[in-house]
Amino acid sequence: MPENTAPDGATSIGAPHIEFRDVVKRFGDNTVLNDLNFTVAKGERVTLIGPSGSGKTTILRLVMTLEELTGGYIHVGGAPLQYEDQGGKRVRVSDKTRRRTTTQIGMVFQHFNLFPNMTVLENITEAPIHVMGLSKAEAISKAEGLLEKVGMSDKRDFNPSQLSGGQQQRVAIARALAMDPEILLLDEVTSALDPELVGEVLAVLKDIAAETDISMLIVTHEMQFARDVSDRVMMFDQGSIVEEGSPEKIFSDPGHQRTRDFLHAVL
Amino acid sequence: MDGVIGFFEQLGPNIEILGARMPQILEGVQVTVLAAAFGGLLALVISFVFGIAQTVKLGAVRIIARIFVEFFRGTSLVVQLFWLAFVLPQLPYPFGWQLAPLAIGVLALGLNYGAYGAEVVRGSIGSVPKGQYEALSALSLSPVRGMFRVIIPQAWALMIPSLSNLWIQLLKGSAIVSTVLLYDLYFRVEQVRDQTGTWFAFLFALVAYYLVAWVIVIIMNALEVRAKHKIGRGPALSDSLGTLLRPPGGKNVARGAMV
Ligand SMILES: Nc1ncnc2c1ncn2[C@@H]1O[C@H](COP(=O)(O)OP(=O)(O)OP(=O)(O)O)[C@@H](O)[C@H]1O
Ligand SMILES: [Mg+2]
């Protein structure tokens, strides 16, 4: 894995990798996140749990810049992501700069979102060639390595529609990794899968967690997986953090009734 | 009823007249096919340019495209045709062009149906699932690259049935170009009408236009099957040749065969 070098060199050692500062997100008059503050350290794996509608997906989408912040700031590797504070004024970061920052961030979606008009291999090589500037040969050999890692080498020339959900999701993981992300966002990546396909995807993710130092922000209902890979679990309700702690603490000895109720309902 | 009875009484001689006039009629078919082909091609280009222009981020581009589309959809094809044929030549140099009748026909058909096609293209681009745009964004692919490499190939498969309908409408609408001295199929049918009577002449016209429409349908069905196959929906073109021949107005091939 590459060292954490933001393109503008803004990364400072010890600074949080992701920082939410007084984040507000509203959809119309529905306030989803209200003054949210938290950080994710470099290489840390943080799992977000909480009831439906508590804002978990919204948090990930804000980091990926798929949603616009209503208020506050998000910093990635020390650099402002969507807005920056310029002498007390909240200034929008340009699309170009945003894109430069988000190049370090990968996301895997619940519904895979592979490009159906491209083969498995093309799905993986498209961004490395056209965003990172790799040569076609470099991109292909990299993609082949990743396909091997996710156990999909024999499917490189298939169309996504010819694959099972679990296989598609493994390709989507390889596609995200092909950009050498320093941050990986996983939003319920197994909830669209048939139960018998969940294991193969989680196994791949566990390997990646073990072999790399990518920071991860994970939303999942697979509590055993959360326990296995997370350094920290944050329990959300109505857009704010109810409690956080090590997975052992949260899953075995939660401090709040709302966490106990939630875990009772999902386990 | 005279017409109907006359139709049968005169059937033999009428067919003979038609046979004698065949060279001119075939010339007419040729002109109609040219107008429909080049008009269709121009309409396709305009559809894409103005359809895509309506989806770009830059507001000014969107507004200009919108105005163009509204103008050509909102004003009559006949009036547009007359402008090109009779008003344009009177404009001062260097605008005062006297275009050839076929060019006038192609331009008017292309502009008018292209404006409708632009709406089809815009709509299909909007129908590509949101997740595709989000994946592009998550991979930091540029909007332009994403549009041409990912969104358009998927939108293309969605828009072909509507474009196919528009093209057939354009073919039928092309009968109007005879009013600017273009000797198309309709003009030639009008010519034989004097000798054969209304029933026979227009029945022949129905059949002739229907056959040309059928060719369009076959082409578009083939394109649709191919486009759907490319996005992983449905069989390869070589496996679906049998279904291509369905006549115009029939159930759409690719949709029927695939779901
Ligand atoms: N695009 C949107 N427009 C309007 N409201 C939205 C939008 N996206 C999310 N919301 C609202 O924001 C709130 C939080 O949604 P979010 O998807 O973040 O919840 P979640 O914690 O991921 O829930 P789940 O476990 O069901 O996925 C919900 O009330 C939802 O209705
Ligand atoms: Mg969610």
Side-chain angles (χ1 to χ4, degrees):
Chain A
M1 277 296 113
E3 274 308 299
N4 182 17
T5 45
D8 53 1
T11 310
S12 51
I13 309 295
H17 205 177
I18 306 172
E19 180 176 12
F20 272 53
R21 203 182 291 162
D22 306 327
V23 163
V24 178
K25 177 61 190 174
R26 284 188 210 103
F27 293 103
D29 8 315
N30 177 13
T31 302
V32 176
L33 304 175
N34 199 6
D35 272 332
L36 180 64
N37 287 280
F38 72 87
T39 61
V40 175
K42 170 110 188 74
E44 195 181 17
R45 280 72 196 257
V46 176
T47 296
L48 312 179
I49 61 170
S52 181
S54 58
K56 309 178 296 291
T57 295
T58 303
I59 290 169
L60 264 52
R61 291 171 60 84
L62 283 168
V63 176
M64 196 67 256
T65 323
L66 297 175
E67 300 288 355
E68 191 81 7
L69 269 181
T70 311
Y73 304 90
I74 298 173
H75 286 238
V76 169
L81 179 70
Q82 296 196 8
Y83 289 87
E84 63 184 317
D85 188 346
Q86 284 184 356
K89 254 180 70 190
R90 192 163 171 276
V91 181
R92 190 180 188 278
V93 172
S94 74
D95 286 345
K96 212 173 140 223
T97 311
R98 285 177 173 203
R99 196 146 67 226
R100 206 174 50 187
T101 312
T102 56
T103 308
Q104 315 159 48
I105 307 170
M107 183 161 186
V108 182
F109 300 88
Q110 187 174 352
H111 296 287
F112 336 130
N113 300 351
L114 292 178
F115 304 134
N117 57 315
M118 297 185 194
T119 64
V120 163
L121 192 75
E122 288 168 337
N123 261 279
I124 301 175
T125 56
E126 181 71 14
I129 293 173
H130 296 285
V131 180
M132 299 169 91
L134 294 196
S135 74
K136 204 173 165 199
E138 288 169 326
I140 289 176
S141 88
K142 183 175 198 184
E144 283 171 338
L146 286 165
L147 282 173
E148 189 164 343
K149 191 182 242 172
V150 301
M152 293 289 296
S153 293
D154 53 332
K155 300 283 196 287
R156 53 164 265 178
D157 296 318
F158 278 52
N159 196 284
S161 64
Q162 297 168 292
L163 306 179
S164 74
Q167 292 173 327
Q168 289 189 51
Q169 194 60 297
R170 285 186 280 152
V171 172
I173 292 166
R175 181 174 72 174
L177 292 176
M179 292 293 285
D180 295 332
E182 292 165 23
I183 296 170
L184 192 59
L185 308 170
L186 306 171
D187 188 12
E188 300 198 31
V189 296
T190 57
S191 26
L193 300 177
D194 291 337
E196 73 272 17
L197 302 177
V198 169
E200 63 189 54
V201 172
L202 294 183
V204 161
L205 289 173
K206 273 190 223 168
D207 284 349
I208 291 160
E211 290 165 15
T212 70
D213 61 353
I214 304 174
S215 308
M216 295 186 187
L217 209 44
I218 303 165
V219 177
T220 184
H221 294 306
E222 300 290 333
M223 294 304 161
Q224 186 56 47
F225 172 67
R227 215 182 252 262
D228 292 345
V229 301
S230 330
D231 299 306
R232 182 155 51 110
V233 175
M234 296 202 293
M235 166 72 193
F236 274 83
D237 196 14
Q238 294 171 358
S240 49
I241 301 168
V242 175
E243 64 175 310
E244 58 181 309
S246 69
E248 295 76 24
K249 167 87 175 83
I250 299 290
F251 290 129
S252 314
D253 181 24
H256 281 254
Q257 188 56 41
R258 266 189 285 174
T259 315
R260 278 192 286 274
D261 291 345
F262 173 74
L263 289 172
H264 189 73
V266 296
L267 287 178
Chain B
M1 285 319 271
D2 281 358
V4 184
I5 295 162
F7 173 82
F8 286 108
E9 284 173 353
Q10 293 296 312
L11 195 55
N14 278 346
I15 288 175
E16 260 168 48
I17 295 172
L18 201 60
R21 286 299 194 94
M22 214 21 108
Q24 288 99 316
I25 288 173
L26 285 180
E27 267 174 44
V29 169
Q30 203 184 342
V31 169
T32 290
V33 167
L34 280 179
F38 286 109
L41 220 54
L42 178 62
L44 187 68
V45 172
I46 288 175
S47 302
F48 269 89
V49 171
F50 288 88
I52 293 171
Q54 287 181 82
T55 68
V56 303
K57 230 177 148 187
L58 206 62
V61 175
R62 280 206 313 270
I63 289 169
I64 291 169
R66 190 77 228 152
I67 290 172
F68 173 90
V69 166
E70 288 302 332
F71 177 80
F72 281 97
R73 284 201 313 168
T75 55
S76 142
L77 173 61
V78 186
V79 177
Q80 289 161 21
L81 205 59
F82 286 0
W83 264 82
L84 287 173
F86 307 125
V87 181
L88 187 65
Q90 295 181 30
L91 293 179
Y93 179 85
F95 302 106
W97 289 358
Q98 178 63 65
L99 298 172
L102 182 62
I104 293 171
V106 165
L107 257 180
L109 292 169
L111 287 167
N112 193 272
Y113 287 91
Y116 284 94
E119 289 298 279
V120 171
V121 171
R122 182 176 69 96
S124 311
I125 287 173
S127 306
V128 173
K130 222 173 102 225
Q132 293 291 307
Y133 292 92
E134 296 183 346
L136 286 169
S137 177
L139 290 168
S140 305
L141 282 158
S142 75
V144 174
R145 176 118 202 124
M147 178 60 74
F148 287 100
R149 185 77 174 104
V150 171
I151 302 300
I152 302 257
Q154 293 178 60
W156 175 234
L158 298 175
M159 69 178 82
I160 292 176
S162 303
L163 292 182
S164 177
N165 284 338
L166 273 181
W167 198 8
I168 289 169
Q169 282 177 34
L170 180 149
L171 166 72
K172 296 170 186 164
S174 77
I176 251 175
V177 299
S178 59
T179 53
V180 291
L181 297 180
L182 190 60
Y183 304 143
D184 71 336
L185 174 59
Y186 185 79
F187 177 85
R188 299 299 181 181
V189 168
E190 278 282 352
Q191 278 188 328
V192 293
R193 188 164 71 115
D194 295 342
Q195 294 161 25
T196 63
T198 319
W199 275 84
F200 183 82
F202 286 132
L203 201 64
F204 170 76
L206 280 183
V207 173
Y209 275 99
Y210 186 81
L211 290 178
V212 180
W214 202 345
V215 174
I216 291 179
V217 168
I218 290 170
I219 294 171
M220 296 306 274
N221 281 347
L223 286 178
E224 187 182 3
V225 169
R226 203 180 68 131
K228 289 211 160 156
H229 181 66
K230 279 204 169 152
I231 59 168
R233 287 162 52 194
L237 187 52
S238 51
D239 297 333
S240 20
L241 291 179
T243 56
L244 297 183
L245 295 176
R246 298 211 191 160
K251 216 169 112 206
N252 201 294
V253 176
R255 249 177 303 164
M258 243 131 269
V259 186

